[in-house]
Amino acid sequence: MPAPAISFPGGTSVSLLDVYDDVAPDGLRGGSPHLHLASTECYVVIGGRGALHTVDAHGASEIALAEGSVVWFTPGTIHRAVNHGDLRVLVLMSNAGLPEAGDAVMTFPADIVADPGRYAAAATLPAGSENERADAAARRRNLAVEGYLSIRKAVDAGDFGPLREFQAAAAAIIEHRASSWTDIVEQGPAAQAARSLDVARALSRGEFAHLEDAAVYRAAEPAGERRFGMCGRLRPYDVREPAGRR
């Protein structure tokens, strides 16, 4: 049998998200619309209320969110978290480590997304005080909302061309760094899936030696300040390498 699995189930990552509550140019409160190129994201709502706005090849949708809601969306789905009051979410992301490696692209206006240099400048938050970074995060969000509204207006009118163009531009932005992502997938979810298959095969033969490796692990509470993420203030848990048994 392979070495015992100690990472979080499925090779996923876990973060606490307090969705932004300041007002965007269209009057809604919430985060920066964006998509993920390779990872599926899941929202488990733990407090407050809001909505998940999405755009994909099937059209635009708005899903109400309240405590206990569970909703997930696959790569290529443009999504926007809207805060109707104290919206707090537990976020599960597939391919732990890959989203942090640049899996997401925000829906800035088409001329910015078409230029990787301009995109990077618009997406990067500058160093500075918390208030300065909060202001920069709001400007970044507002720019993403501008591009999102253009795409959604076209989709609502039955024109999916701007959506496809954005997805193509997003793929071009991450192309230069995607070559390293195969290692993340192989060492994370693929390794866990391979171990699960080995366990199932062993059990079918009446073998159960892996049960001797049974253990309980607990992630430490997130430390440090909350990050300015795309959708809100983030506090990631470190679940990939727990310190030991608890």
Side-chain angles (χ1 to χ4, degrees), residues 112-138:
I112 296 177
V113 180
D115 184 330
R118 291 182 66 193
Y119 178 87
T124 303
L125 296 181
S129 69
E130 179 159 326
N131 286 339
E132 289 171 334
R133 285 180 287 131
D135 289 343

Side-chain angles (χ1 to χ4, degrees), residues 59-204:
S61 67
E62 297 181 7
I63 301 172
L65 299 176
E67 185 174 350
S69 297
V70 177
V71 60
W72 63 94
F73 33 95
T74 56
T77 303
I78 296 175
H79 53 282
R80 178 189 188 187
V82 175
N83 190 346
H84 293 326
D86 302 321
L87 183 59
R88 301 186 71 240
V89 176
L90 187 69
V91 179
L92 304 178
M93 291 291 308
S94 66
N95 306 317
L98 194 154
E100 295 80 0
D103 177 42
V105 175
M106 286 175 278
T107 55
F108 296 149
D111 59 327
I112 296 177
V113 180
D115 184 330
R118 291 182 66 193
Y119 178 87
T124 303
L125 296 181
S129 69
E130 179 159 326
N131 286 339
E132 289 171 334
R133 285 180 287 131
D135 289 343
R139 290 193 298 271
R140 180 177 71 176
R141 185 273 316 277
N142 294 347
L143 193 61
V145 168
E146 178 184 342
Y148 164 81
L149 291 175
S150 178
I151 294 171
R152 175 158 181 171
K153 181 179 180 180
V155 167
D156 285 341
D159 179 7
F160 288 80
L163 171 62
R164 289 190 291 268
E165 290 168 5
F166 170 72
Q167 291 174 333
I173 285 174
I174 61 86
E175 183 178 2
H176 72 283
R177 56 179 177 261
S179 60
S180 64
W181 293 359
T182 55
D183 289 341
I184 294 173
V185 175
E186 288 173 351
Q187 294 168 16
Q192 286 206 23
R195 176 178 169 79
S196 294
L197 285 172
D198 287 342
V199 165
R201 290 166 179 150
L203 289 170
S204 71

